[in-house]
Amino acid sequence: MSDMLNSRQGMRSTSDAPVPVMVAGTAMVAIKCISVLLLLGELGVDGAQEFVNTSAQAWDSTFIFLAGLLLLCLQISCGFAVMRGHNWGRWCYVICQCLVVGYLLLATIGNFMPEVFTVEGETSSQILHVLILQKIPDAVILALLFVPVTSRRYFAVRH
């Protein structure tokens, strides 16, 4: 009965999601939540307060800070959407990753944007190397969502 109800409403249960999709969706949520907790642990209360105060000093840095928070929430919701079988979740995650990498490159190497978030390094090649290392988990997640046949088939079915 519940299967008929789910199919009528156009929803899937997460139990029919293939393993790569479940791993990717769980990792999307877990990595973002854990990264926030690690950042707060590293900065401490005073450091987090100083970071927010520094980010709120000018309108452009405030905009980037708020956009970063919005992007973080969007990536977490993409993880839940992927586990529910929504194809938009994986494409939205791709767009989010492109925006993040683009901003980090422009802010760090190009000095184009306000440097609210940056990548550590002295030369362009060091910065690029650190950025690639930071994005390996996201690349693995994207591979789990787009490469396995079971993942592609799961998202290809209209629901």
Side-chain angles (χ1 to χ4, degrees), residues 43-97:
L43 294 176
V45 175
D46 293 336
Q49 245 178 349
E50 182 181 334
F51 177 69
V52 172
N53 288 336
T54 303
S55 299
Q57 287 181 355
W59 71 268
D60 55 351
S61 59
T62 303
F63 173 75
I64 295 295
F65 178 72
L66 293 175
L69 288 176
L70 179 67
L71 208 54
L72 175 73
C73 294
L74 184 60
Q75 289 178 72
I76 291 171
S77 66
C78 286
F80 288 116
V82 160
M83 288 188 282
R84 289 187 186 109
H86 298 292
N87 193 32
W88 66 263
R90 68 183 185 150
W91 289 105
C92 183
Y93 194 72
V94 169
I95 293 168
C96 288
Q97 292 308 308

Side-chain angles (χ1 to χ4, degrees), residues 4-128:
M4 285 179 33
L5 185 60
N6 282 343
S7 65
R8 284 185 191 163
Q9 294 175 346
M11 297 189 60
R12 291 184 173 182
S13 69
T14 56
S15 63
D16 66 345
V19 172
V21 172
M22 289 303 291
V23 169
T26 304
M28 289 163 75
V29 173
I31 288 173
K32 300 308 170 195
C33 291
I34 290 171
S35 67
V36 169
L37 291 175
L38 289 173
L39 181 64
L40 291 176
E42 184 178 327
L43 294 176
V45 175
D46 293 336
Q49 245 178 349
E50 182 181 334
F51 177 69
V52 172
N53 288 336
T54 303
S55 299
Q57 287 181 355
W59 71 268
D60 55 351
S61 59
T62 303
F63 173 75
I64 295 295
F65 178 72
L66 293 175
L69 288 176
L70 179 67
L71 208 54
L72 175 73
C73 294
L74 184 60
Q75 289 178 72
I76 291 171
S77 66
C78 286
F80 288 116
V82 160
M83 288 188 282
R84 289 187 186 109
H86 298 292
N87 193 32
W88 66 263
R90 68 183 185 150
W91 289 105
C92 183
Y93 194 72
V94 169
I95 293 168
C96 288
Q97 292 308 308
C98 291
L99 289 172
V100 167
V101 168
Y103 168 79
L104 288 173
L105 287 174
L106 286 174
T108 308
I109 294 175
N111 293 322
F112 179 68
M113 303 263 188
E115 294 182 6
V116 176
F117 306 106
T118 58
V119 180
E120 291 184 24
E122 294 180 17
T123 65
S124 296
S125 61
Q126 286 177 344
I127 292 168
L128 192 58

